[in-house]
PDB file of all heavy atoms in Angstrom:
ATOM      1  N   GLN A   1      34.796  -5.562  -2.355  1.00 92.00           N
ATOM      2  CA  GLN A   1      35.118  -4.173  -2.704  1.00 92.00           C
ATOM      3  C   GLN A   1      36.054  -3.563  -1.658  1.00 92.00           C
ATOM      4  O   GLN A   1      37.026  -2.902  -2.013  1.00 92.00           O
ATOM      5  CB  GLN A   1      33.848  -3.339  -2.829  1.00 92.00           C
ATOM      6  CG  GLN A   1      32.957  -3.762  -3.984  1.00 92.00           C
ATOM      7  CD  GLN A   1      31.572  -3.181  -3.916  1.00 92.00           C
ATOM      8  OE1 GLN A   1      31.119  -2.769  -2.830  1.00 92.00           O
ATOM      9  NE2 GLN A   1      30.899  -3.138  -5.061  1.00 92.00           N
ATOM     10  N   LEU A   2      35.733  -3.794  -0.391  1.00 92.00           N
ATOM     11  CA  LEU A   2      36.541  -3.237   0.680  1.00 92.00           C
ATOM     12  C   LEU A   2      37.972  -3.782   0.622  1.00 92.00           C
ATOM     13  O   LEU A   2      38.919  -3.011   0.722  1.00 92.00           O
ATOM     14  CB  LEU A   2      35.915  -3.570   2.030  1.00 92.00           C
ATOM     15  CG  LEU A   2      36.699  -3.143   3.284  1.00 92.00           C
ATOM     16  CD1 LEU A   2      36.847  -1.643   3.319  1.00 92.00           C
ATOM     17  CD2 LEU A   2      36.013  -3.637   4.517  1.00 92.00           C
ATOM     18  N   SER A   3      38.081  -5.066   0.439  1.00 91.00           N
ATOM     19  CA  SER A   3      39.416  -5.696   0.326  1.00 91.00           C
ATOM     20  C   SER A   3      40.219  -5.128  -0.837  1.00 91.00           C
ATOM     21  O   SER A   3      41.409  -4.832  -0.717  1.00 91.00           O
ATOM     22  CB  SER A   3      39.243  -7.221   0.189  1.00 91.00           C
ATOM     23  OG  SER A   3      40.475  -7.843   0.076  1.00 91.00           O
ATOM     24  N   TYR A   4      39.577  -5.007  -1.995  1.00 92.00           N
ATOM     25  CA  TYR A   4      40.218  -4.463  -3.154  1.00 92.00           C
ATOM     26  C   TYR A   4      40.719  -3.038  -2.910  1.00 92.00           C
ATOM     27  O   TYR A   4      41.853  -2.685  -3.206  1.00 92.00           O
ATOM     28  CB  TYR A   4      39.295  -4.533  -4.369  1.00 92.00           C
ATOM     29  CG  TYR A   4      39.974  -4.119  -5.660  1.00 92.00           C
ATOM     30  CD1 TYR A   4      40.777  -5.052  -6.322  1.00 92.00           C
ATOM     31  CD2 TYR A   4      39.816  -2.834  -6.205  1.00 92.00           C
ATOM     32  CE1 TYR A   4      41.426  -4.669  -7.513  1.00 92.00           C
ATOM     33  CE2 TYR A   4      40.453  -2.506  -7.373  1.00 92.00           C
ATOM     34  CZ  TYR A   4      41.261  -3.413  -8.013  1.00 92.00           C
ATOM     35  OH  TYR A   4      41.895  -3.061  -9.171  1.00 92.00           O
ATOM     36  N   LEU A   5      39.853  -2.222  -2.355  1.00 94.00           N
ATOM     37  CA  LEU A   5      40.213  -0.808  -2.079  1.00 94.00           C
ATOM     38  C   LEU A   5      41.323  -0.756  -1.058  1.00 94.00           C
ATOM     39  O   LEU A   5      42.252   0.102  -1.141  1.00 94.00           O
ATOM     40  CB  LEU A   5      38.995  -0.026  -1.660  1.00 94.00           C
ATOM     41  CG  LEU A   5      37.960   0.174  -2.720  1.00 94.00           C
ATOM     42  CD1 LEU A   5      36.637   0.592  -2.149  1.00 94.00           C
ATOM     43  CD2 LEU A   5      38.466   1.167  -3.759  1.00 94.00           C
ATOM     44  N   ASN A   6      41.278  -1.611  -0.031  1.00 92.00           N
ATOM     45  CA  ASN A   6      42.353  -1.662   0.963  1.00 92.00           C
ATOM     46  C   ASN A   6      43.677  -2.047   0.306  1.00 92.00           C
ATOM     47  O   ASN A   6      44.723  -1.466   0.634  1.00 92.00           O
ATOM     48  CB  ASN A   6      42.068  -2.681   2.088  1.00 92.00           C
ATOM     49  CG  ASN A   6      41.092  -2.113   3.098  1.00 92.00           C
ATOM     50  OD1 ASN A   6      40.958  -0.922   3.238  1.00 92.00           O
ATOM     51  ND2 ASN A   6      40.403  -2.994   3.801  1.00 92.00           N
ATOM     52  N   SER A   7      43.628  -2.956  -0.657  1.00 92.00           N
ATOM     53  CA  SER A   7      44.866  -3.364  -1.324  1.00 92.00           C
ATOM     54  C   SER A   7      45.483  -2.236  -2.134  1.00 92.00           C
ATOM     55  O   SER A   7      46.680  -2.163  -2.369  1.00 92.00           O
ATOM     56  CB  SER A   7      44.609  -4.573  -2.261  1.00 92.00           C
ATOM     57  OG  SER A   7      43.910  -4.214  -3.410  1.00 92.00           O
ATOM     58  N   LEU A   8      44.623  -1.315  -2.581  1.00 93.00           N
ATOM     59  CA  LEU A   8      45.116  -0.135  -3.322  1.00 93.00           C
ATOM     60  C   LEU A   8      45.607   0.976  -2.398  1.00 93.00           C
ATOM     61  O   LEU A   8      46.200   1.956  -2.850  1.00 93.00           O
ATOM     62  CB  LEU A   8      44.027   0.434  -4.219  1.00 93.00           C
ATOM     63  CG  LEU A   8      43.533  -0.451  -5.327  1.00 93.00           C
ATOM     64  CD1 LEU A   8      42.404   0.246  -6.106  1.00 93.00           C
ATOM     65  CD2 LEU A   8      44.670  -0.797  -6.299  1.00 93.00           C
ATOM     66  N   GLY A   9      45.325   0.809  -1.089  1.00 92.00           N
ATOM     67  CA  GLY A   9      45.723   1.827  -0.139  1.00 92.00           C
ATOM     68  C   GLY A   9      44.759   2.986  -0.039  1.00 92.00           C
ATOM     69  O   GLY A   9      45.122   4.115   0.283  1.00 92.00           O
ATOM     70  N   CYS A  10      43.489   2.706  -0.306  1.00 91.00           N
ATOM     71  CA  CYS A  10      42.467   3.741  -0.224  1.00 91.00           C
ATOM     72  C   CYS A  10      42.314   4.211   1.236  1.00 91.00           C
ATOM     73  O   CYS A  10      42.175   3.388   2.146  1.00 91.00           O
ATOM     74  CB  CYS A  10      41.142   3.199  -0.757  1.00 91.00           C
ATOM     75  SG  CYS A  10      39.919   4.451  -1.038  1.00 91.00           S
ATOM     76  N   ASP A  11      42.352   5.518   1.457  1.00 81.00           N
ATOM     77  CA  ASP A  11      42.321   6.069   2.786  1.00 81.00           C
ATOM     78  C   ASP A  11      41.015   5.909   3.543  1.00 81.00           C
ATOM     79  O   ASP A  11      40.996   5.537   4.721  1.00 81.00           O
ATOM     80  CB  ASP A  11      42.604   7.597   2.734  1.00 81.00           C
ATOM     81  CG  ASP A  11      43.960   7.900   2.121  1.00 81.00           C
ATOM     82  OD1 ASP A  11      44.958   7.367   2.598  1.00 81.00           O
ATOM     83  OD2 ASP A  11      43.980   8.701   1.174  1.00 81.00           O
ATOM     84  N   VAL A  12      39.905   6.213   2.886  1.00 93.00           N
ATOM     85  CA  VAL A  12      38.605   6.204   3.542  1.00 93.00           C
ATOM     86  C   VAL A  12      37.569   5.591   2.610  1.00 93.00           C
ATOM     87  O   VAL A  12      37.598   5.811   1.403  1.00 93.00           O
ATOM     88  CB  VAL A  12      38.147   7.678   3.858  1.00 93.00           C
ATOM     89  CG1 VAL A  12      36.757   7.663   4.484  1.00 93.00           C
ATOM     90  CG2 VAL A  12      39.171   8.352   4.785  1.00 93.00           C
ATOM     91  N   VAL A  13      36.719   4.746   3.178  1.00 93.00           N
ATOM     92  CA  VAL A  13      35.611   4.162   2.411  1.00 93.00           C
ATOM     93  C   VAL A  13      34.310   4.443   3.158  1.00 93.00           C
ATOM     94  O   VAL A  13      34.297   4.546   4.374  1.00 93.00           O
ATOM     95  CB  VAL A  13      35.793   2.626   2.203  1.00 93.00           C
ATOM     96  CG1 VAL A  13      37.005   2.374   1.320  1.00 93.00           C
ATOM     97  CG2 VAL A  13      35.910   1.875   3.495  1.00 93.00           C
ATOM     98  N   GLN A  14      33.265   4.495   2.407  1.00 93.00           N
ATOM     99  CA  GLN A  14      31.945   4.684   2.974  1.00 93.00           C
ATOM    100  C   GLN A  14      30.942   3.894   2.132  1.00 93.00           C
ATOM    101  O   GLN A  14      31.148   3.647   0.987  1.00 93.00           O
ATOM    102  CB  GLN A  14      31.541   6.160   3.041  1.00 93.00           C
ATOM    103  CG  GLN A  14      31.478   6.827   1.687  1.00 93.00           C
ATOM    104  CD  GLN A  14      31.256   8.329   1.816  1.00 93.00           C
ATOM    105  OE1 GLN A  14      31.911   8.992   2.583  1.00 93.00           O
ATOM    106  NE2 GLN A  14      30.327   8.864   1.034  1.00 93.00           N
ATOM    107  N   GLY A  15      29.859   3.490   2.780  1.00 91.00           N
ATOM    108  CA  GLY A  15      28.860   2.763   2.007  1.00 91.00           C
ATOM    109  C   GLY A  15      27.983   1.895   2.923  1.00 91.00           C
ATOM    110  O   GLY A  15      28.158   1.872   4.157  1.00 91.00           O
ATOM    111  N   TYR A  16      27.059   1.171   2.326  1.00 89.00           N
ATOM    112  CA  TYR A  16      26.091   0.398   3.059  1.00 89.00           C
ATOM    113  C   TYR A  16      26.717  -0.772   3.800  1.00 89.00           C
ATOM    114  O   TYR A  16      26.132  -1.327   4.696  1.00 89.00           O
ATOM    115  CB  TYR A  16      24.983  -0.173   2.126  1.00 89.00           C
ATOM    116  CG  TYR A  16      24.038   0.914   1.646  1.00 89.00           C
ATOM    117  CD1 TYR A  16      23.343   0.745   0.464  1.00 89.00           C
ATOM    118  CD2 TYR A  16      23.848   2.094   2.332  1.00 89.00           C
ATOM    119  CE1 TYR A  16      22.454   1.739  -0.028  1.00 89.00           C
ATOM    120  CE2 TYR A  16      22.951   3.074   1.909  1.00 89.00           C
ATOM    121  CZ  TYR A  16      22.280   2.881   0.723  1.00 89.00           C
ATOM    122  OH  TYR A  16      21.440   3.812   0.271  1.00 89.00           O
ATOM    123  N   LEU A  17      27.977  -1.150   3.431  1.00 89.00           N
ATOM    124  CA  LEU A  17      28.658  -2.191   4.207  1.00 89.00           C
ATOM    125  C   LEU A  17      28.773  -1.808   5.641  1.00 89.00           C
ATOM    126  O   LEU A  17      28.735  -2.640   6.535  1.00 89.00           O
ATOM    127  CB  LEU A  17      30.033  -2.439   3.598  1.00 89.00           C
ATOM    128  CG  LEU A  17      30.884  -3.514   4.263  1.00 89.00           C
ATOM    129  CD1 LEU A  17      30.203  -4.895   4.200  1.00 89.00           C
ATOM    130  CD2 LEU A  17      32.253  -3.580   3.639  1.00 89.00           C
ATOM    131  N   PHE A  18      28.864  -0.493   5.911  1.00 83.00           N
ATOM    132  CA  PHE A  18      29.070  -0.010   7.245  1.00 83.00           C
ATOM    133  C   PHE A  18      27.783   0.498   7.898  1.00 83.00           C
ATOM    134  O   PHE A  18      27.723   0.604   9.113  1.00 83.00           O
ATOM    135  CB  PHE A  18      30.094   1.121   7.244  1.00 83.00           C
ATOM    136  CG  PHE A  18      31.356   0.678   6.571  1.00 83.00           C
ATOM    137  CD1 PHE A  18      31.606   1.089   5.288  1.00 83.00           C
ATOM    138  CD2 PHE A  18      32.261  -0.150   7.222  1.00 83.00           C
ATOM    139  CE1 PHE A  18      32.759   0.672   4.641  1.00 83.00           C
ATOM    140  CE2 PHE A  18      33.419  -0.592   6.586  1.00 83.00           C
ATOM    141  CZ  PHE A  18      33.663  -0.172   5.292  1.00 83.00           C
ATOM    142  N   GLY A  19      26.790   0.817   7.118  1.00 81.00           N
ATOM    143  CA  GLY A  19      25.513   1.280   7.642  1.00 81.00           C
ATOM    144  C   GLY A  19      24.795   2.154   6.633  1.00 81.00           C
ATOM    145  O   GLY A  19      25.412   2.798   5.801  1.00 81.00           O
ATOM    146  N   ARG A  20      23.511   2.154   6.791  1.00 82.00           N
ATOM    147  CA  ARG A  20      22.642   3.010   5.947  1.00 82.00           C
ATOM    148  C   ARG A  20      22.754   4.463   6.424  1.00 82.00           C
ATOM    149  O   ARG A  20      23.047   4.725   7.544  1.00 82.00           O
ATOM    150  CB  ARG A  20      21.204   2.563   6.009  1.00 82.00           C
ATOM    151  CG  ARG A  20      20.958   1.133   5.563  1.00 82.00           C
ATOM    152  CD  ARG A  20      20.781   1.097   4.109  1.00 82.00           C
ATOM    153  NE  ARG A  20      20.556  -0.256   3.644  1.00 82.00           N
ATOM    154  CZ  ARG A  20      20.648  -0.626   2.400  1.00 82.00           C
ATOM    155  NH1 ARG A  20      20.875   0.231   1.466  1.00 82.00           N
ATOM    156  NH2 ARG A  20      20.491  -1.880   2.075  1.00 82.00           N
ATOM    157  N   ALA A  21      22.469   5.353   5.505  1.00 83.00           N
ATOM    158  CA  ALA A  21      22.436   6.773   5.874  1.00 83.00           C
ATOM    159  C   ALA A  21      21.291   7.025   6.874  1.00 83.00           C
ATOM    160  O   ALA A  21      20.230   6.454   6.729  1.00 83.00           O
ATOM    161  CB  ALA A  21      22.212   7.636   4.643  1.00 83.00           C
ATOM    162  N   ILE A  22      21.589   7.840   7.873  1.00 84.00           N
ATOM    163  CA  ILE A  22      20.575   8.208   8.884  1.00 84.00           C
ATOM    164  C   ILE A  22      20.623   9.689   9.105  1.00 84.00           C
ATOM    165  O   ILE A  22      21.624  10.353   8.808  1.00 84.00           O
ATOM    166  CB  ILE A  22      20.739   7.420  10.199  1.00 84.00           C
ATOM    167  CG1 ILE A  22      22.127   7.709  10.836  1.00 84.00           C
ATOM    168  CG2 ILE A  22      20.545   5.927  10.029  1.00 84.00           C
ATOM    169  CD1 ILE A  22      22.311   7.114  12.191  1.00 84.00           C
ATOM    170  N   SER A  23      19.544  10.220   9.640  1.00 90.00           N
ATOM    171  CA  SER A  23      19.469  11.635   9.930  1.00 90.00           C
ATOM    172  C   SER A  23      20.328  11.972  11.139  1.00 90.00           C
ATOM    173  O   SER A  23      20.689  11.078  11.952  1.00 90.00           O
ATOM    174  CB  SER A  23      18.049  12.099  10.182  1.00 90.00           C
ATOM    175  OG  SER A  23      17.592  11.574  11.417  1.00 90.00           O
ATOM    176  N   LEU A  24      20.635  13.239  11.319  1.00 91.00           N
ATOM    177  CA  LEU A  24      21.394  13.675  12.474  1.00 91.00           C
ATOM    178  C   LEU A  24      20.653  13.327  13.781  1.00 91.00           C
ATOM    179  O   LEU A  24      21.266  12.892  14.750  1.00 91.00           O
ATOM    180  CB  LEU A  24      21.661  15.199  12.381  1.00 91.00           C
ATOM    181  CG  LEU A  24      22.484  15.789  13.502  1.00 91.00           C
ATOM    182  CD1 LEU A  24      23.836  15.113  13.629  1.00 91.00           C
ATOM    183  CD2 LEU A  24      22.638  17.267  13.291  1.00 91.00           C
ATOM    184  N   ASN A  25      19.340  13.502  13.789  1.00 90.00           N
ATOM    185  CA  ASN A  25      18.559  13.139  14.950  1.00 90.00           C
ATOM    186  C   ASN A  25      18.650  11.647  15.328  1.00 90.00           C
ATOM    187  O   ASN A  25      18.763  11.296  16.499  1.00 90.00           O
ATOM    188  CB  ASN A  25      17.086  13.537  14.800  1.00 90.00           C
ATOM    189  CG  ASN A  25      16.882  15.057  14.874  1.00 90.00           C
ATOM    190  OD1 ASN A  25      17.681  15.756  15.451  1.00 90.00           O
ATOM    191  ND2 ASN A  25      15.815  15.512  14.259  1.00 90.00           N
ATOM    192  N   GLN A  26      18.598  10.835  14.276  1.00 85.00           N
ATOM    193  CA  GLN A  26      18.699   9.395  14.523  1.00 85.00           C
ATOM    194  C   GLN A  26      20.127   9.035  15.058  1.00 85.00           C
ATOM    195  O   GLN A  26      20.242   8.207  15.941  1.00 85.00           O
ATOM    196  CB  GLN A  26      18.487   8.600  13.210  1.00 85.00           C
ATOM    197  CG  GLN A  26      17.055   8.633  12.744  1.00 85.00           C
ATOM    198  CD  GLN A  26      16.929   8.017  11.358  1.00 85.00           C
ATOM    199  OE1 GLN A  26      17.666   8.356  10.452  1.00 85.00           O
ATOM    200  NE2 GLN A  26      15.948   7.099  11.236  1.00 85.00           N
ATOM    201  N   LEU A  27      21.144   9.698  14.531  1.00 81.00           N
ATOM    202  CA  LEU A  27      22.494   9.472  15.014  1.00 81.00           C
ATOM    203  C   LEU A  27      22.621   9.870  16.492  1.00 81.00           C
ATOM    204  O   LEU A  27      23.163   9.168  17.306  1.00 81.00           O
ATOM    205  CB  LEU A  27      23.513  10.238  14.194  1.00 81.00           C
ATOM    206  CG  LEU A  27      24.966  10.146  14.671  1.00 81.00           C
ATOM    207  CD1 LEU A  27      25.471   8.694  14.635  1.00 81.00           C
ATOM    208  CD2 LEU A  27      25.822  11.060  13.840  1.00 81.00           C
ATOM    209  N   ALA A  28      22.061  11.019  16.812  1.00 85.00           N
ATOM    210  CA  ALA A  28      22.080  11.500  18.210  1.00 85.00           C
ATOM    211  C   ALA A  28      21.376  10.518  19.147  1.00 85.00           C
ATOM    212  O   ALA A  28      21.876  10.206  20.207  1.00 85.00           O
ATOM    213  CB  ALA A  28      21.457  12.890  18.322  1.00 85.00           C
ATOM    214  N   GLN A  29      20.253   9.984  18.689  1.00 84.00           N
ATOM    215  CA  GLN A  29      19.511   9.026  19.500  1.00 84.00           C
ATOM    216  C   GLN A  29      20.301   7.739  19.705  1.00 84.00           C
ATOM    217  O   GLN A  29      20.373   7.179  20.789  1.00 84.00           O
ATOM    218  CB  GLN A  29      18.141   8.667  18.845  1.00 84.00           C
ATOM    219  CG  GLN A  29      17.139   9.809  18.939  1.00 84.00           C
ATOM    220  CD  GLN A  29      15.893   9.493  18.136  1.00 84.00           C
ATOM    221  OE1 GLN A  29      15.794   8.509  17.451  1.00 84.00           O
ATOM    222  NE2 GLN A  29      14.903  10.391  18.260  1.00 84.00           N
ATOM    223  N   GLN A  30      20.961   7.288  18.651  1.00 79.00           N
ATOM    224  CA  GLN A  30      21.781   6.066  18.726  1.00 79.00           C
ATOM    225  C   GLN A  30      22.942   6.307  19.692  1.00 79.00           C
ATOM    226  O   GLN A  30      23.216   5.441  20.541  1.00 79.00           O
ATOM    227  CB  GLN A  30      22.334   5.675  17.362  1.00 79.00           C
ATOM    228  CG  GLN A  30      21.385   4.891  16.542  1.00 79.00           C
ATOM    229  CD  GLN A  30      22.076   4.383  15.277  1.00 79.00           C
ATOM    230  OE1 GLN A  30      23.225   4.739  14.936  1.00 79.00           O
ATOM    231  NE2 GLN A  30      21.372   3.501  14.564  1.00 79.00           N
ATOM    232  N   LEU A  31      23.615   7.404  19.559  1.00 79.00           N
ATOM    233  CA  LEU A  31      24.776   7.658  20.428  1.00 79.00           C
ATOM    234  C   LEU A  31      24.356   7.786  21.871  1.00 79.00           C
ATOM    235  O   LEU A  31      24.995   7.274  22.778  1.00 79.00           O
ATOM    236  CB  LEU A  31      25.485   8.942  19.980  1.00 79.00           C
ATOM    237  CG  LEU A  31      26.251   8.821  18.639  1.00 79.00           C
ATOM    238  CD1 LEU A  31      26.795  10.186  18.248  1.00 79.00           C
ATOM    239  CD2 LEU A  31      27.387   7.803  18.729  1.00 79.00           C
ATOM    240  N   ASN A  32      23.225   8.494  22.084  1.00 81.00           N
ATOM    241  CA  ASN A  32      22.733   8.658  23.474  1.00 81.00           C
ATOM    242  C   ASN A  32      22.233   7.347  24.070  1.00 81.00           C
ATOM    243  O   ASN A  32      22.467   7.050  25.227  1.00 81.00           O
ATOM    244  CB  ASN A  32      21.672   9.717  23.535  1.00 81.00           C
ATOM    245  CG  ASN A  32      22.263  11.113  23.379  1.00 81.00           C
ATOM    246  OD1 ASN A  32      23.370  11.405  23.817  1.00 81.00           O
ATOM    247  ND2 ASN A  32      21.496  11.999  22.733  1.00 81.00           N
ATOM    248  N   SER A  33      21.548   6.547  23.286  1.00 79.00           N
ATOM    249  CA  SER A  33      20.989   5.286  23.817  1.00 79.00           C
ATOM    250  C   SER A  33      22.040   4.195  23.980  1.00 79.00           C
ATOM    251  O   SER A  33      21.922   3.346  24.859  1.00 79.00           O
ATOM    252  CB  SER A  33      19.866   4.777  22.931  1.00 79.00           C
ATOM    253  OG  SER A  33      20.366   4.344  21.687  1.00 79.00           O
ATOM    254  N   ASP A  34      23.079   4.196  23.165  1.00 62.00           N
ATOM    255  CA  ASP A  34      24.104   3.180  23.250  1.00 62.00           C
ATOM    256  C   ASP A  34      25.120   3.422  24.335  1.00 62.00           C
ATOM    257  O   ASP A  34      26.073   2.683  24.529  1.00 62.00           O
ATOM    258  CB  ASP A  34      24.848   3.011  21.902  1.00 62.00           C
ATOM    259  CG  ASP A  34      23.960   2.368  20.846  1.00 62.00           C
ATOM    260  OD1 ASP A  34      22.942   1.736  21.209  1.00 62.00           O
ATOM    261  OD2 ASP A  34      24.306   2.496  19.686  1.00 62.00           O
ATOM    262  N   GLN A  35      24.955   4.538  25.000  1.00 52.00           N
ATOM    263  CA  GLN A  35      25.836   4.933  26.096  1.00 52.00           C
ATOM    264  C   GLN A  35      27.281   5.005  25.686  1.00 52.00           C
ATOM    265  O   GLN A  35      28.190   4.631  26.411  1.00 52.00           O
ATOM    266  CB  GLN A  35      25.654   4.023  27.305  1.00 52.00           C
ATOM    267  CG  GLN A  35      24.260   4.044  27.858  1.00 52.00           C
ATOM    268  CD  GLN A  35      24.058   3.071  28.987  1.00 52.00           C
ATOM    269  OE1 GLN A  35      24.959   2.327  29.376  1.00 52.00           O
ATOM    270  NE2 GLN A  35      22.866   3.076  29.589  1.00 52.00           N
ATOM    271  N   LEU A  36      27.488   5.479  24.428  1.00 54.00           N
ATOM    272  CA  LEU A  36      28.866   5.688  23.957  1.00 54.00           C
ATOM    273  C   LEU A  36      29.459   6.965  24.514  1.00 54.00           C
ATOM    274  O   LEU A  36      30.630   7.178  24.457  1.00 54.00           O
ATOM    275  CB  LEU A  36      28.883   5.725  22.416  1.00 54.00           C
ATOM    276  CG  LEU A  36      28.413   4.466  21.679  1.00 54.00           C
ATOM    277  CD1 LEU A  36      28.339   4.701  20.204  1.00 54.00           C
ATOM    278  CD2 LEU A  36      29.394   3.318  22.001  1.00 54.00           C
ATOM    279  N   LEU A  37      28.582   7.768  25.077  1.00 51.00           N
ATOM    280  CA  LEU A  37      28.999   9.054  25.646  1.00 51.00           C
ATOM    281  C   LEU A  37      28.735   9.044  27.152  1.00 51.00           C
ATOM    282  O   LEU A  37      27.915   8.264  27.604  1.00 51.00           O
ATOM    283  CB  LEU A  37      28.205  10.185  24.993  1.00 51.00           C
ATOM    284  CG  LEU A  37      28.338  10.357  23.480  1.00 51.00           C
ATOM    285  CD1 LEU A  37      27.334  11.353  22.961  1.00 51.00           C
ATOM    286  CD2 LEU A  37      29.740  10.757  23.137  1.00 51.00           C
ATOM    287  N   PRO A  38      29.385   9.941  27.906  1.00 51.00           N
ATOM    288  CA  PRO A  38      29.038  10.028  29.311  1.00 51.00           C
ATOM    289  C   PRO A  38      27.580  10.334  29.449  1.00 51.00           C
ATOM    290  O   PRO A  38      26.935  10.964  28.608  1.00 51.00           O
ATOM    291  CB  PRO A  38      29.910  11.198  29.785  1.00 51.00           C
ATOM    292  CG  PRO A  38      30.981  11.329  28.762  1.00 51.00           C
ATOM    293  CD  PRO A  38      30.422  10.812  27.480  1.00 51.00           C
ATOM    294  N   LYS A  39      26.953   9.909  30.592  1.00 54.00           N
ATOM    295  CA  LYS A  39      25.516  10.062  30.790  1.00 54.00           C
ATOM    296  C   LYS A  39      25.050  11.513  30.718  1.00 54.00           C
ATOM    297  O   LYS A  39      23.962  11.761  30.338  1.00 54.00           O
ATOM    298  CB  LYS A  39      25.119   9.444  32.090  1.00 54.00           C
ATOM    299  CG  LYS A  39      25.207   7.913  32.048  1.00 54.00           C
ATOM    300  CD  LYS A  39      24.673   7.317  33.297  1.00 54.00           C
ATOM    301  CE  LYS A  39      24.823   5.805  33.173  1.00 54.00           C
ATOM    302  NZ  LYS A  39      24.012   5.062  34.043  1.00 54.00           N
TER     303      LYS A  39
END
């Protein structure tokens, strides 16, 4: 699906291929624990 949409020039895709939906709190915990942000 991703390849097909890329071939059409689709700007943005979203879906389970990239990750399941999570709450804002879960996202904040992931970002803070993965050290993607300054400490």
Side-chain angles (χ1 to χ4, degrees):
Q1 294 166 339
L2 177 61
S3 179
Y4 187 79
L5 292 163
N6 281 337
S7 75
L8 295 177
C10 192
D11 299 307
V12 177
V13 295
Q14 62 187 47
Y16 289 155
L17 180 62
F18 307 102
R20 300 273 180 194
I22 60 174
S23 71
L24 182 57
N25 287 337
Q26 289 172 312
L27 176 61
Q29 288 173 354
Q30 277 187 351
L31 290 173
N32 287 326
S33 68
D34 289 342
Q35 299 177 358
L36 296 173
L37 300 171
K39 290 185 180 199

